[in-house]
Amino acid sequence: MVYRGKPSSACGECRKRRSRCDQVTPCGQCVKAGRICPGYRNAVDLLFHDESAKVVRKSKGQPSRSTSTSTPIENAVAAQSLTPVNLTNFVVYQPWDDLGVHFFMSNYVGTDPAVSQLHYLPDFYARSGYATSSLQKTIIASGLAGYARTARRADLIEQSTRTYVAAIRDINTTLSSPQTAVQDTTLMSIMMAAMFETMLVSPESGMHNVSKHLEGAMSVAYLSLQQRAPSDIFKALLSTLIQSVIMNCWIQHVPLPFRYKQIRPYVPERINPTSVHAKLVDILSRVIEFRDDLKARSYSNPDAILQKALELDASLKTFIEEMPHHASFEKCWMPTIQATEVQQLVYNWVFHGETLVV
């Protein structure tokens, strides 16, 4: 192996234009210029050049191809092929599929179970997910949708939507077979379809499609639990599904679905003891159940209502007191002029921002 020196870690466009790259996906320079960020090279592969074959030929006394008997025409062609090629302005762009998967894994997936609901996805995808068309396409569609929003590329919405529609066809085909319907990849595909809908939700459909996907995922999960013992990856998927269902019910102010009550016992009492998000969601599930009981007039004694409310309040207080530093936040106030531009996202000109802990 021959060391070639440290290569540039900038994206293709920044190398071409010799501009400073912030090395995120997509990079800030490309977003600012409104162009497609081609992604990054594998820097490790570029550090070294494999000279093994050349060394073996020399050790065996074998002539290299350049010294073998050849015609004048072949020598001329060989001489031309050895001429250095200037690739300064040459940019290799990632295919849409690779870009979608890379953006999704880089921005929506983490390796720490304490902060990521999908920490298990990279290993799961590497083992079997990439070979499953429906899961591959839903991840690509979600990644492209996220990229389109981040880079403000409206033209990529159509590309991501086409991939999503193809993924739905594959999911329907998978669900038509009792054997493939209960596979872990099928459950993961449906959950990724719900995630796509949250990224590109339209005012007309609201969160209706998200709820439909989550209901379908719960049905698949329940069917799988009736037929086989849950694998470790299935248990992780079930935990993510439960958290997604709870948050969806909380956001839409709807009761917890019937299937939720059937599969919830298969998830540990504390959904994920190390996750801040899971701890909050666990409390929210009890708040939603309390809200549903109030609507159904399940409480006949006002003292029982007050006692339950105080218990939930104490749980939230404990959650805040035990919150780790990396999850702490502070109140931020927006000037009225700026707030009018994002009035749908900010309530009363105040939002909670993450505190940077050094």
Side-chain angles (χ1 to χ4, degrees), residues 89-146:
N89 295 324
F90 184 75
V91 177
V92 178
Y93 288 89
Q94 288 180 299
W96 290 124
D97 292 0
D98 293 346
L99 178 61
V101 173
H102 176 71
F103 186 87
F104 184 88
M105 295 295 184
S106 300
N107 293 271
Y108 303 119
V109 178
T111 58
D112 186 359
V115 296
S116 173
Q117 292 188 65
L118 300 173
H119 60 91
Y120 52 85
L121 182 57
D123 290 339
F124 176 58
Y125 185 78
R127 288 198 308 269
S128 57
Y130 73 93
T132 305
S133 178
S134 58
L135 179 56
Q136 185 183 46
K137 288 176 182 176
T138 50
I139 291 178
I140 292 171
S142 298
L144 289 178

Side-chain angles (χ1 to χ4, degrees), residues 224-356:
S224 179
L225 288 168
Q226 303 308 304
Q227 296 188 12
R228 60 191 178 97
S231 62
D232 291 339
I233 191 66
F234 183 85
K235 293 177 182 177
L237 287 170
L238 206 59
S239 174
T240 302
L241 174 60
I242 287 296
Q243 293 181 64
S244 300
V245 170
I246 293 172
M247 288 304 301
N248 182 62
C249 292
W250 177 256
I251 293 172
Q252 298 200 64
H253 304 284
V254 296
L256 291 167
F258 173 72
R259 287 292 186 191
Y260 167 86
K261 298 177 182 178
Q262 290 181 317
I263 65 177
R264 182 65 177 85
Y266 292 93
V267 181
E269 186 63 26
R270 297 289 295 274
I271 298 175
N272 185 347
T274 63
S275 171
V276 176
H277 179 269
K279 291 179 181 178
L280 175 61
V281 166
D282 187 60
I283 299 174
L284 289 182
S285 67
R286 286 181 276 151
V287 175
I288 294 173
E289 291 175 345
F290 179 54
R291 181 186 65 191
D292 295 343
D293 289 340
L294 289 176
K295 290 182 178 180
R297 299 182 182 277
S298 301
Y299 291 94
S300 58
N301 186 349
D303 290 337
I305 297 176
L306 180 60
Q307 181 63 32
K308 185 64 177 180
L310 290 174
E311 290 177 3
L312 293 172
D313 189 64
S315 298
L316 287 168
K317 183 179 180 181
T318 302
F319 168 77
I320 295 175
E321 292 174 349
E322 296 178 351
M323 185 179 295
H325 292 295
H326 71 266
S328 59
F329 58 88
E330 60 181 4
K331 285 187 177 180
C332 302
W333 285 267
M334 295 188 65
T336 306
I337 298 178
Q338 295 182 17
T340 55
E341 301 176 0
V342 288
Q343 56 185 348
Q344 294 181 345
L345 303 178
V346 178
Y347 177 72
N348 279 349
W349 326 130
V350 179
F351 66 94
H352 294 99
E354 185 177 1
T355 304
L356 179 61

Side-chain angles (χ1 to χ4, degrees), residues 3-4 25 29 34 44 55-56 92 109 118 164 179 186 197 210 212 227 243 261 267 273 278 296 304 345 348:
Y3 180 66
R4 289 180 161 181
T25 306
Q29 296 284 3
V44 176
V55 173
V56 171
V92 178
V109 178
L118 300 173
Y164 170 73
Q179 289 74 30
T186 303
E197 291 286 354
V210 176
K212 286 295 183 182
Q227 296 188 12
Q243 293 181 64
K261 298 177 182 178
V267 181
L345 303 178
N348 279 349

Side-chain angles (χ1 to χ4, degrees), residues 139-198:
I139 291 178
I140 292 171
S142 298
L144 289 178
Y147 183 93
R149 290 174 54 183
T150 303
R152 296 187 290 275
R153 291 292 305 273
D155 57 306
L156 293 183
I157 300 298
E158 182 180 356
Q159 177 70 27
S160 64
T161 303
R162 282 200 301 266
T163 306
Y164 170 73
V165 172
I168 294 299
R169 286 198 294 265
D170 289 344
I171 291 175
N172 291 333
T173 301
T174 302
L175 292 175
S176 64
S177 168
Q179 289 74 30
T180 57
V182 296
Q183 292 179 350
D184 295 342
T185 51
T186 303
L187 178 59
M188 189 76 244
S189 299
I190 300 174
M191 291 167 60
M192 288 297 98
M195 186 169 184
F196 173 86
E197 291 286 354
T198 61

